[in-house]
Amino acid sequence: MKYKAKESYKKLPMTENYCHYKSASTHLRLMAGLWVECDPPKELLEHLEPEKKASK
Amino acid sequence: MAIAADFITKNNVNVYIGTEVTLGIGCLTAGVWHTAPVTDYSIQDIKAPLELAPQRANTSTQPESGAIHNRTQQLWEISLTMRGTAAVIDRMCLALFGDGTSPNALLGNMPAQKTYVNGVTNDIPVTILFENAAATAASIDQHYIGCMCTGMELAYAWGTDGGEMSCVATFVTGYLPVEIALVPATPTDMNGTPFNIKNLTATGQGFGGADLLVYGYSLSIQRAVQRGGWIDTTYAPSGYSVGPYEVTGNLTCKRDTGSDTVATNTSTGIALAITDGTLVIAAPDVMIENLTTEIGDVDWKHVFAYRAFFDDAAMTNPIVTITTA
Protein backbone atom coordinates (compact mmCIF):
# COMPACT_ATOMS: atom_id res chain seq x y z
CA MET A 1 0.00 0.00 0.00
CA LYS A 2 1.16 3.52 -0.72
CA TYR A 3 1.45 6.23 1.90
CA LYS A 4 2.15 9.95 1.91
CA ALA A 5 3.57 11.92 4.81
CA LYS A 6 1.30 14.17 6.83
CA GLU A 7 2.74 17.41 8.20
CA SER A 8 3.14 15.73 11.59
CA TYR A 9 5.52 13.15 10.07
CA LYS A 10 7.84 15.89 8.87
CA LYS A 11 8.23 17.14 12.44
CA LEU A 12 9.23 13.78 13.93
CA PRO A 13 12.77 13.51 15.33
CA MET A 14 15.24 11.12 13.70
CA THR A 15 14.68 8.66 16.51
CA GLU A 16 11.01 8.32 15.58
CA ASN A 17 10.77 8.68 11.80
CA TYR A 18 11.38 6.03 9.14
CA CYS A 19 15.15 6.31 9.58
CA HIS A 20 14.70 4.69 12.96
CA TYR A 21 12.92 1.83 11.21
CA LYS A 22 15.89 1.09 8.98
CA SER A 23 14.71 2.79 5.83
CA ALA A 24 16.20 6.20 5.27
CA SER A 25 15.17 5.98 1.60
CA THR A 26 11.51 5.68 2.57
CA HIS A 27 11.94 8.65 4.91
CA LEU A 28 13.50 10.82 2.23
CA ARG A 29 10.82 9.94 -0.30
CA LEU A 30 8.10 10.74 2.23
CA MET A 31 9.78 14.04 3.05
CA ALA A 32 9.80 14.85 -0.67
CA GLY A 33 6.01 14.55 -0.68
CA LEU A 34 5.91 11.34 -2.71
CA TRP A 35 3.49 8.45 -2.44
CA VAL A 36 5.64 5.59 -1.22
CA GLU A 37 4.94 1.87 -1.29
CA CYS A 38 5.72 0.73 2.24
CA ASP A 39 4.51 -1.22 5.23
CA PRO A 40 4.70 1.28 8.10
CA PRO A 41 5.11 0.27 11.73
CA LYS A 42 2.03 1.04 13.81
CA GLU A 43 3.84 3.89 15.55
CA LEU A 44 3.94 5.80 12.27
CA LEU A 45 0.43 5.17 10.98
CA GLU A 46 -1.03 8.32 12.52
CA HIS A 47 1.56 10.39 10.70
CA LEU A 48 0.95 8.87 7.27
CA GLU A 49 -1.93 9.21 4.86
CA PRO A 50 -2.88 5.95 3.08
CA GLU A 51 -3.71 6.00 -0.58
CA LYS A 52 -7.43 5.74 -1.23
CA LYS A 53 -8.40 2.93 -3.55
CA ALA A 54 -10.59 3.97 -6.45
CA SER A 55 -14.19 2.84 -6.03
CA LYS A 56 -15.69 0.68 -8.80
CA MET B 1 60.13 -7.09 34.79
CA ALA B 2 59.61 -10.10 32.65
CA ILE B 3 58.08 -10.82 29.30
CA ALA B 4 54.32 -11.41 29.61
CA ALA B 5 53.15 -14.95 29.03
CA ASP B 6 49.89 -14.08 27.25
CA PHE B 7 49.36 -14.08 23.48
CA ILE B 8 46.48 -13.68 21.05
CA THR B 9 45.36 -15.95 18.24
CA LYS B 10 43.04 -15.15 15.39
CA ASN B 11 41.04 -18.35 15.67
CA ASN B 12 39.97 -17.39 19.17
CA VAL B 13 38.54 -14.00 18.26
CA ASN B 14 34.85 -13.43 17.62
CA VAL B 15 33.67 -10.18 16.08
CA TYR B 16 30.39 -8.47 16.97
CA ILE B 17 28.72 -5.32 15.73
CA GLY B 18 26.60 -3.53 18.32
CA THR B 19 23.96 -0.92 17.59
CA GLU B 20 24.58 2.14 19.76
CA VAL B 21 21.75 4.08 21.33
CA THR B 22 23.77 7.21 21.98
CA LEU B 23 26.89 8.25 20.08
CA GLY B 24 29.88 7.85 22.34
CA ILE B 25 28.32 5.35 24.69
CA GLY B 26 29.23 1.85 23.69
CA CYS B 27 26.61 -0.81 23.09
CA LEU B 28 25.94 -2.55 26.38
CA THR B 29 25.96 -6.26 27.07
CA ALA B 30 22.19 -6.46 26.70
CA GLY B 31 22.14 -4.25 23.59
CA VAL B 32 21.48 -5.20 19.97
CA TRP B 33 24.47 -7.20 18.76
CA HIS B 34 25.16 -8.98 15.50
CA THR B 35 27.83 -11.64 15.10
CA ALA B 36 29.88 -10.85 12.01
CA PRO B 37 30.92 -13.84 9.85
CA VAL B 38 34.38 -12.44 9.28
CA THR B 39 37.07 -14.07 7.20
CA ASP B 40 39.59 -11.34 7.91
CA TYR B 41 39.85 -8.05 9.77
CA SER B 42 42.25 -5.33 10.78
CA ILE B 43 42.36 -3.15 13.88
CA GLN B 44 44.42 -0.27 15.18
CA ASP B 45 45.70 0.33 18.68
CA ILE B 46 46.05 3.60 20.55
CA LYS B 47 48.16 6.12 18.68
CA ALA B 48 47.99 9.70 17.41
CA PRO B 49 49.66 11.66 14.60
CA LEU B 50 53.09 12.91 15.72
CA GLU B 51 53.59 16.53 14.67
CA LEU B 52 56.88 18.43 14.73
CA ALA B 53 57.74 22.08 15.37
CA PRO B 54 59.92 23.99 12.86
CA GLN B 55 63.62 23.24 12.85
CA ARG B 56 65.52 25.81 14.93
CA ALA B 57 68.54 27.52 13.37
CA ASN B 58 71.99 26.45 14.57
CA THR B 59 70.84 22.93 15.42
CA SER B 60 70.62 19.90 13.20
CA THR B 61 68.78 17.66 15.58
CA GLN B 62 65.29 17.46 16.95
CA PRO B 63 64.46 18.36 20.58
CA GLU B 64 61.70 16.58 22.47
CA SER B 65 59.96 19.91 23.08
CA GLY B 66 59.31 20.20 19.36
CA ALA B 67 57.12 17.13 19.12
CA ILE B 68 53.49 16.65 20.00
CA HIS B 69 50.96 13.87 19.52
CA ASN B 70 48.03 15.70 17.95
CA ARG B 71 45.17 13.87 19.56
CA THR B 72 42.59 16.24 18.10
CA GLN B 73 43.04 14.39 14.81
CA GLN B 74 43.05 10.83 16.08
CA LEU B 75 40.94 8.41 14.07
CA TRP B 76 41.15 4.66 14.24
CA GLU B 77 40.22 2.51 11.28
CA ILE B 78 38.71 -0.94 11.53
CA SER B 79 38.20 -3.15 8.50
CA LEU B 80 36.02 -6.24 8.42
CA THR B 81 35.99 -8.73 5.57
CA MET B 82 32.80 -10.73 5.89
CA ARG B 83 31.01 -13.41 3.96
CA GLY B 84 28.46 -11.76 1.69
CA THR B 85 25.23 -12.96 3.23
CA ALA B 86 21.93 -11.10 3.01
CA ALA B 87 22.10 -10.23 6.71
CA VAL B 88 25.61 -8.82 6.39
CA ILE B 89 24.74 -6.71 3.36
CA ASP B 90 21.57 -5.35 4.99
CA ARG B 91 23.43 -4.48 8.20
CA MET B 92 26.27 -2.75 6.36
CA CYS B 93 23.86 -0.78 4.17
CA LEU B 94 22.16 0.39 7.36
CA ALA B 95 25.48 1.54 8.81
CA LEU B 96 26.57 3.19 5.56
CA PHE B 97 23.46 4.96 4.30
CA GLY B 98 20.62 4.22 6.69
CA ASP B 99 18.75 1.52 4.76
CA GLY B 100 18.84 -1.88 6.38
CA THR B 101 15.74 -3.50 5.00
CA SER B 102 15.78 -4.96 1.52
CA PRO B 103 15.64 -3.32 -0.96
CA ASN B 104 18.43 -1.09 0.31
CA ALA B 105 18.46 2.10 -1.71
CA LEU B 106 21.09 4.83 -1.83
CA LEU B 107 19.26 7.92 -3.07
CA GLY B 108 20.50 11.13 -4.62
CA ASN B 109 19.66 13.15 -1.52
CA MET B 110 21.28 10.85 1.00
CA PRO B 111 22.35 10.82 3.73
CA ALA B 112 19.22 11.67 5.66
CA GLN B 113 21.46 12.80 8.49
CA LYS B 114 24.72 14.58 7.71
CA THR B 115 26.12 15.11 11.20
CA TYR B 116 26.26 13.01 14.34
CA VAL B 117 26.77 14.61 17.75
CA ASN B 118 28.41 13.06 20.78
CA GLY B 119 25.90 12.22 23.48
CA VAL B 120 22.89 12.52 21.18
CA THR B 121 20.58 9.57 20.61
CA ASN B 122 21.20 7.89 17.29
CA ASP B 123 21.23 4.26 16.21
CA ILE B 124 23.52 4.51 13.17
CA PRO B 125 26.96 4.53 14.92
CA VAL B 126 28.10 1.10 16.02
CA THR B 127 30.32 -0.52 18.61
CA ILE B 128 32.66 -3.13 17.17
CA LEU B 129 33.75 -5.78 19.64
CA PHE B 130 36.65 -8.15 19.12
CA GLU B 131 36.12 -10.83 21.72
CA ASN B 132 39.37 -12.20 23.18
CA ALA B 133 41.46 -9.66 21.25
CA ALA B 134 42.73 -7.45 24.07
CA ALA B 135 46.49 -7.04 24.27
CA THR B 136 46.19 -7.31 28.04
CA ALA B 137 44.93 -10.78 28.82
CA ALA B 138 43.11 -9.71 31.94
CA SER B 139 41.02 -7.23 29.93
CA ILE B 140 39.99 -9.98 27.51
CA ASP B 141 38.14 -8.02 24.80
CA GLN B 142 38.95 -5.09 22.53
CA HIS B 143 36.17 -2.78 21.58
CA TYR B 144 35.73 0.34 19.53
CA ILE B 145 32.83 2.64 20.29
CA GLY B 146 31.31 5.38 18.14
CA CYS B 147 32.29 3.72 14.86
CA MET B 148 31.02 5.20 11.61
CA CYS B 149 30.99 3.18 8.41
CA THR B 150 33.06 4.79 5.68
CA GLY B 151 32.63 2.22 2.97
CA MET B 152 31.50 -1.16 1.76
CA GLU B 153 32.69 -3.23 -1.16
CA LEU B 154 30.81 -6.22 -2.44
CA ALA B 155 32.76 -8.46 -4.78
CA TYR B 156 32.79 -11.91 -6.26
CA ALA B 157 34.44 -13.65 -9.17
CA TRP B 158 34.86 -17.04 -10.71
CA GLY B 159 38.12 -18.52 -9.45
CA THR B 160 38.23 -16.44 -6.26
CA ASP B 161 37.08 -17.73 -2.87
CA GLY B 162 34.89 -20.35 -4.52
CA GLY B 163 32.86 -17.63 -6.18
CA GLU B 164 31.56 -16.50 -2.80
CA MET B 165 30.64 -12.87 -2.35
CA SER B 166 32.77 -10.95 0.13
CA CYS B 167 31.71 -7.79 1.89
CA VAL B 168 34.54 -5.55 3.04
CA ALA B 169 33.31 -2.86 5.39
CA THR B 170 35.50 -0.13 6.82
CA PHE B 171 34.78 1.96 9.90
CA VAL B 172 36.48 4.81 11.70
CA THR B 173 36.15 6.07 15.22
CA GLY B 174 37.56 9.03 17.10
CA TYR B 175 36.96 7.38 20.47
CA LEU B 176 39.82 5.65 22.23
CA PRO B 177 39.94 1.88 21.75
CA VAL B 178 39.00 0.22 25.02
CA GLU B 179 40.15 -3.08 26.43
CA ILE B 180 37.54 -4.51 28.75
CA ALA B 181 35.58 -7.70 29.31
CA LEU B 182 32.27 -7.46 27.47
CA VAL B 183 30.08 -10.33 26.34
CA PRO B 184 26.99 -9.69 24.20
CA ALA B 185 24.03 -11.36 25.89
CA THR B 186 21.99 -12.40 22.86
CA PRO B 187 23.81 -11.66 19.61
CA THR B 188 22.14 -12.38 16.27
CA ASP B 189 24.39 -14.29 13.94
CA MET B 190 24.59 -12.82 10.44
CA ASN B 191 25.46 -16.24 9.14
CA GLY B 192 23.73 -17.74 6.14
CA THR B 193 24.57 -18.81 2.62
CA PRO B 194 26.65 -16.12 0.96
CA PHE B 195 25.67 -15.01 -2.50
CA ASN B 196 27.74 -16.75 -5.17
CA ILE B 197 28.60 -15.75 -8.70
CA LYS B 198 27.69 -19.24 -9.90
CA ASN B 199 24.04 -18.41 -9.26
CA LEU B 200 23.82 -15.43 -11.61
CA THR B 201 20.98 -15.95 -14.02
CA ALA B 202 21.87 -16.94 -17.58
CA THR B 203 20.83 -13.56 -18.90
CA GLY B 204 20.09 -10.21 -17.33
CA GLN B 205 23.62 -9.19 -16.33
CA GLY B 206 25.18 -6.15 -17.87
CA PHE B 207 24.98 -2.55 -18.95
CA GLY B 208 22.27 -0.88 -20.96
CA GLY B 209 20.37 -4.10 -21.56
CA ALA B 210 23.28 -5.92 -23.20
CA ASP B 211 23.53 -9.46 -21.83
CA LEU B 212 27.06 -10.15 -20.67
CA LEU B 213 28.80 -13.32 -19.55
CA VAL B 214 30.17 -12.19 -16.20
CA TYR B 215 33.45 -13.47 -14.76
CA GLY B 216 33.67 -11.02 -11.89
CA TYR B 217 31.76 -8.14 -10.38
CA SER B 218 32.28 -5.55 -7.66
CA LEU B 219 30.35 -2.65 -6.19
CA SER B 220 32.00 -0.10 -3.95
CA ILE B 221 30.12 2.55 -1.95
CA GLN B 222 32.43 4.91 -0.12
CA ARG B 223 31.93 8.10 1.84
CA ALA B 224 34.07 10.43 3.87
CA VAL B 225 33.70 10.65 7.65
CA GLN B 226 35.33 13.59 9.41
CA ARG B 227 35.58 14.16 13.13
CA GLY B 228 34.84 17.56 14.61
CA GLY B 229 36.27 19.11 17.77
CA TRP B 230 36.96 17.25 20.99
CA ILE B 231 35.20 17.02 24.30
CA ASP B 232 37.48 15.85 27.07
CA THR B 233 40.97 14.70 27.99
CA THR B 234 40.56 11.59 25.84
CA TYR B 235 40.03 13.90 22.86
CA ALA B 236 36.87 12.07 21.90
CA PRO B 237 35.17 13.92 19.04
CA SER B 238 32.33 16.39 19.47
CA GLY B 239 30.79 14.55 16.58
CA TYR B 240 31.16 13.47 12.99
CA SER B 241 30.32 14.85 9.58
CA VAL B 242 29.59 12.37 6.79
CA GLY B 243 29.53 12.34 3.00
CA PRO B 244 29.74 12.77 0.08
CA TYR B 245 29.22 9.30 -1.37
CA GLU B 246 30.94 7.74 -4.34
CA VAL B 247 29.63 4.61 -6.01
CA THR B 248 31.99 2.76 -8.33
CA GLY B 249 32.85 -0.77 -9.34
CA ASN B 250 34.11 -3.19 -11.92
CA LEU B 251 32.54 -5.79 -14.16
CA THR B 252 34.62 -8.35 -16.00
CA CYS B 253 32.92 -10.20 -18.82
CA LYS B 254 33.57 -12.12 -22.01
CA ARG B 255 34.68 -9.79 -24.79
CA ASP B 256 32.08 -10.38 -27.45
CA THR B 257 29.42 -8.74 -29.57
CA GLY B 258 27.33 -7.99 -26.48
CA SER B 259 30.10 -6.30 -24.55
CA ASP B 260 31.02 -4.33 -27.64
CA THR B 261 27.61 -2.64 -27.66
CA VAL B 262 28.06 -1.07 -24.21
CA ALA B 263 28.20 2.71 -24.48
CA THR B 264 31.52 3.89 -23.13
CA ASN B 265 31.89 7.48 -24.30
CA THR B 266 28.46 9.03 -24.75
CA SER B 267 28.20 10.96 -21.46
CA THR B 268 24.81 9.34 -21.02
CA GLY B 269 23.86 7.10 -18.12
CA ILE B 270 23.07 3.48 -18.83
CA ALA B 271 21.50 0.92 -16.52
CA LEU B 272 23.59 -1.65 -14.68
CA ALA B 273 21.95 -4.90 -13.59
CA ILE B 274 23.31 -7.86 -11.69
CA THR B 275 20.90 -10.55 -10.58
CA ASP B 276 20.69 -14.10 -9.38
CA GLY B 277 16.98 -13.82 -8.75
CA THR B 278 17.44 -13.05 -5.05
CA LEU B 279 20.35 -10.66 -4.97
CA VAL B 280 19.56 -7.86 -7.37
CA ILE B 281 21.90 -4.92 -7.77
CA ALA B 282 20.43 -2.19 -9.91
CA ALA B 283 22.07 1.10 -10.77
CA PRO B 284 19.89 2.90 -13.30
CA ASP B 285 22.39 5.57 -14.29
CA VAL B 286 26.02 4.55 -14.64
CA MET B 287 28.80 5.65 -16.94
CA ILE B 288 31.89 3.72 -17.90
CA GLU B 289 35.04 5.28 -16.43
CA ASN B 290 37.48 2.92 -18.05
CA LEU B 291 37.48 -0.09 -20.33
CA THR B 292 40.37 -2.48 -20.70
CA THR B 293 40.82 -5.74 -22.54
CA GLU B 294 42.36 -8.70 -20.77
CA ILE B 295 44.11 -10.73 -23.39
CA GLY B 296 44.38 -14.47 -22.92
CA ASP B 297 45.05 -17.43 -25.15
CA VAL B 298 41.32 -17.97 -25.21
CA ASP B 299 38.39 -16.04 -23.86
CA TRP B 300 39.47 -12.43 -24.06
CA LYS B 301 37.74 -10.32 -21.47
CA HIS B 302 36.38 -6.81 -21.19
CA VAL B 303 36.88 -5.11 -17.84
CA PHE B 304 34.47 -2.23 -17.33
CA ALA B 305 35.13 0.24 -14.53
CA TYR B 306 31.93 2.16 -13.85
CA ARG B 307 30.64 5.01 -11.72
CA ALA B 308 27.00 5.34 -10.67
CA PHE B 309 24.93 8.53 -10.51
CA PHE B 310 21.36 9.53 -9.76
CA ASP B 311 19.03 10.81 -12.45
CA ASP B 312 18.79 14.59 -11.96
CA ALA B 313 15.05 14.48 -12.63
CA ALA B 314 14.54 14.02 -8.88
CA MET B 315 16.85 14.05 -5.88
CA THR B 316 15.00 11.01 -4.58
CA ASN B 317 16.08 8.91 -7.56
CA PRO B 318 18.32 6.00 -6.58
CA ILE B 319 22.00 5.73 -7.35
CA VAL B 320 22.00 2.04 -6.53
CA THR B 321 19.50 -0.38 -5.07
CA ILE B 322 20.61 -3.63 -3.46
CA THR B 323 17.88 -6.20 -3.02
CA THR B 324 18.83 -9.18 -0.88
CA ALA B 325 15.57 -11.08 -0.45
Side-chain angles (χ1 to χ4, degrees):
Chain A
M1 191 175 204
K2 288 186 174 179
Y3 291 85
K4 193 174 184 179
K6 296 178 182 175
E7 281 305 309
S8 63
Y9 177 86
K10 297 178 181 179
K11 294 171 183 166
L12 290 175
M14 294 298 280
T15 51
E16 294 178 25
N17 64 26
Y18 239 113
C19 290
H20 180 65
Y21 297 99
K22 301 181 180 179
S23 187
S25 60
T26 302
H27 168 71
L28 290 168
R29 286 168 172 145
L30 289 169
M31 293 298 281
L34 302 176
W35 288 100
V36 182
E37 184 72 45
C38 58
D39 182 18
K42 62 180 187 304
E43 291 84 351
L44 289 181
L45 285 174
E46 65 177 295
H47 303 291
L48 300 173
E49 175 188 345
E51 187 180 44
K52 291 184 176 66
K53 290 180 180 173
S55 55
K56 292 180 181 175
Chain B
M1 293 291 286
I3 293 175
D6 51 350
F7 59 91
I8 304 148
T9 64
K10 192 175 178 183
N11 63 359
N12 194 35
V13 172
N14 295 315
V15 181
Y16 301 95
I17 297 171
T19 303
E20 293 189 0
V21 176
T22 304
L23 176 59
I25 298 177
C27 186
L28 304 175
T29 298
V32 177
W33 290 95
H34 288 89
T35 308
V38 292
T39 57
D40 198 6
Y41 45 82
S42 66
I43 62 174
Q44 290 183 337
D45 288 308
I46 294 174
K47 62 178 182 178
L50 185 63
E51 294 183 355
L52 302 173
Q55 185 71 39
R56 206 201 83 168
N58 296 326
T59 65
S60 298
T61 52
Q62 295 178 313
E64 180 190 6
S65 61
I68 183 175
H69 279 120
N70 185 353
R71 295 180 63 181
T72 68
Q73 299 298 312
Q74 58 194 12
L75 270 178
W76 289 270
E77 184 174 296
I78 302 103
S79 172
L80 305 177
T81 302
M82 295 171 279
R83 305 181 79 197
T85 67
V88 164
I89 294 170
D90 289 346
R91 186 66 189 84
M92 292 308 104
C93 287
L94 179 63
L96 185 56
F97 52 83
D99 254 26
T101 308
S102 180
N104 304 291
L106 175 65
L107 307 183
N109 56 350
M110 278 189 168
Q113 188 168 356
K114 296 176 177 61
T115 57
Y116 294 83
V117 180
N118 178 76
V120 173
T121 301
N122 197 284
D123 48 15
I124 290 298
V126 298
T127 297
I128 302 179
L129 169 66
F130 293 85
E131 186 180 16
N132 301 322
T136 305
S139 300
I140 304 176
D141 308 318
Q142 175 105 24
H143 77 277
Y144 297 85
I145 65 173
C147 295
M148 298 294 296
C149 189
T150 63
M152 170 182 81
E153 180 170 11
L154 304 176
Y156 53 14
W158 285 97
T160 303
D161 300 335
E164 194 171 286
M165 176 168 275
S166 67
C167 175
V168 179
T170 50
F171 296 83
V172 293
T173 178
Y175 296 85
L176 276 176
V178 179
E179 294 192 354
I180 194 171
L182 181 75
V183 180
T186 53
T188 301
D189 199 332
M190 295 190 289
N191 208 354
T193 303
F195 295 108
N196 196 299
I197 197 165
K198 72 180 171 68
N199 295 324
L200 289 180
T201 53
T203 57
Q205 330 297 331
F207 297 102
D211 284 323
L212 306 178
L213 187 68
V214 177
Y215 286 88
Y217 173 75
S218 70
L219 167 71
S220 175
I221 305 173
Q222 304 292 330
R223 69 174 178 184
V225 174
Q226 289 107 15
R227 57 167 290 158
W230 64 92
I231 55 169
D232 55 23
T233 55
T234 70
Y235 293 90
S238 302
Y240 298 112
S241 167
V242 300
Y245 290 84
E246 285 190 277
V247 181
T248 58
N250 285 285
L251 187 149
T252 302
C253 64
K254 182 162 66 73
R255 184 175 186 265
D256 57 18
T257 305
S259 68
D260 196 45
T261 65
V262 176
T264 55
N265 63 355
T266 61
S267 304
T268 303
I270 53 177
L272 161 71
I274 289 289
T275 178
D276 65 14
T278 303
L279 175 70
V280 180
I281 298 175
D285 204 338
V286 307
M287 290 191 209
I288 304 302
E289 275 197 308
N290 194 19
L291 170 61
T292 55
T293 298
E294 276 188 9
I295 295 175
D297 289 337
V298 292
D299 250 3
W300 288 22
K301 298 181 181 72
H302 263 152
V303 182
F304 293 95
Y306 65 87
R307 179 175 292 267
F309 306 91
F310 71 93
D311 181 343
D312 300 68
M315 292 293 287
T316 50
N317 281 334
I319 300 169
V320 63
T321 302
I322 306 170
T323 305
T324 59

